[in-house]
Amino acid sequence: MDSAVPQASGTEMFFENDLKELASDDPFVRDQAVIRTAQRGFGVVQALISILSDFAKPGLAGVAGVLGRIGDRRAIPVLAQAAKMGDEELRMAAVWALAQFREPEVLPILLAESERPHAIIQSYLASVLGTFQDGRVVAALSKLAGHPNREVAFQ
């Protein structure tokens, strides 16, 4: 009888390492972990959604970035929640990830985020919303064009 403790497979171990590196202080290490994790594709989406649902874990901005790169629509609700409730880094990553979908169901979320007083997110959304072929963006873009922050207004 084999009493050895089962070991994680090589791919599971690499995935765990990539998840740890998503929280790295080194931006290069973080970016490489995002790329490697995104290359795993749709198979890791449910695990990433579960991780992103727990706001106490480190590296959530990287997880949001991976979900945006993969583009699985199952991630939209948890990304919308992260955009509303996360810290500044997570909110920016979640808004970026949501903008990658270009889906009609994402537009109301992005429009709502454009109303929040955060100049960096508003500046980004001013450029993103212009790419949507939808009449609902006109009012938001008009409001952003009159923003007192020049970085937002001139996007």
Side-chain angles (χ1 to χ4, degrees):
M1 184 154 82
D2 189 8
S3 62
V5 176
Q7 297 291 324
S9 72
T11 57
E12 289 175 5
M13 193 168 63
F14 285 122
F15 181 63
E16 291 296 322
N17 287 338
D18 287 342
L19 290 177
K20 288 177 187 168
E21 289 181 358
L22 288 173
S24 173
D25 291 333
D26 183 341
F28 178 77
V29 170
R30 254 192 337 261
D31 289 344
Q32 292 303 307
V34 166
I35 292 167
R36 284 191 308 271
T37 307
Q39 287 173 342
R40 296 178 186 278
F42 294 106
V44 297
V45 169
Q46 195 57 51
L48 295 174
I49 289 172
S50 296
I51 292 168
L52 192 56
S53 297
D54 181 1
F55 288 114
K57 294 193 177 185
L60 295 179
V63 172
V66 171
L67 289 169
R69 282 178 178 256
I70 294 173
D72 189 317
R73 296 180 72 215
R74 295 177 292 173
I76 292 173
V78 73
L79 287 169
Q81 190 68 19
K84 291 177 189 171
M85 300 186 64
D87 62 13
E88 183 174 348
E89 183 182 19
L90 176 55
R91 285 187 55 225
M92 290 189 319
V95 167
W96 177 86
L98 286 165
Q100 304 311 300
F101 285 92
R102 305 279 188 229
E103 298 281 340
E105 69 184 279
V106 172
L107 184 57
I109 300 165
L110 296 177
L111 290 171
E113 287 303 311
S114 74
E115 296 288 327
R116 294 177 127 212
H118 190 284
I120 295 172
I121 291 175
Q122 288 177 322
S123 175
Y124 175 69
L125 288 175
S127 65
V128 167
L129 290 174
T131 65
F132 280 85
Q133 300 296 316
D134 191 306
R136 295 178 288 175
V137 302
V138 174
L141 289 173
S142 296
K143 187 173 182 180
L144 292 171
H147 196 281
N149 184 325
R150 293 178 66 171
E151 295 292 323
V152 175
F154 290 110
Q155 282 297 321

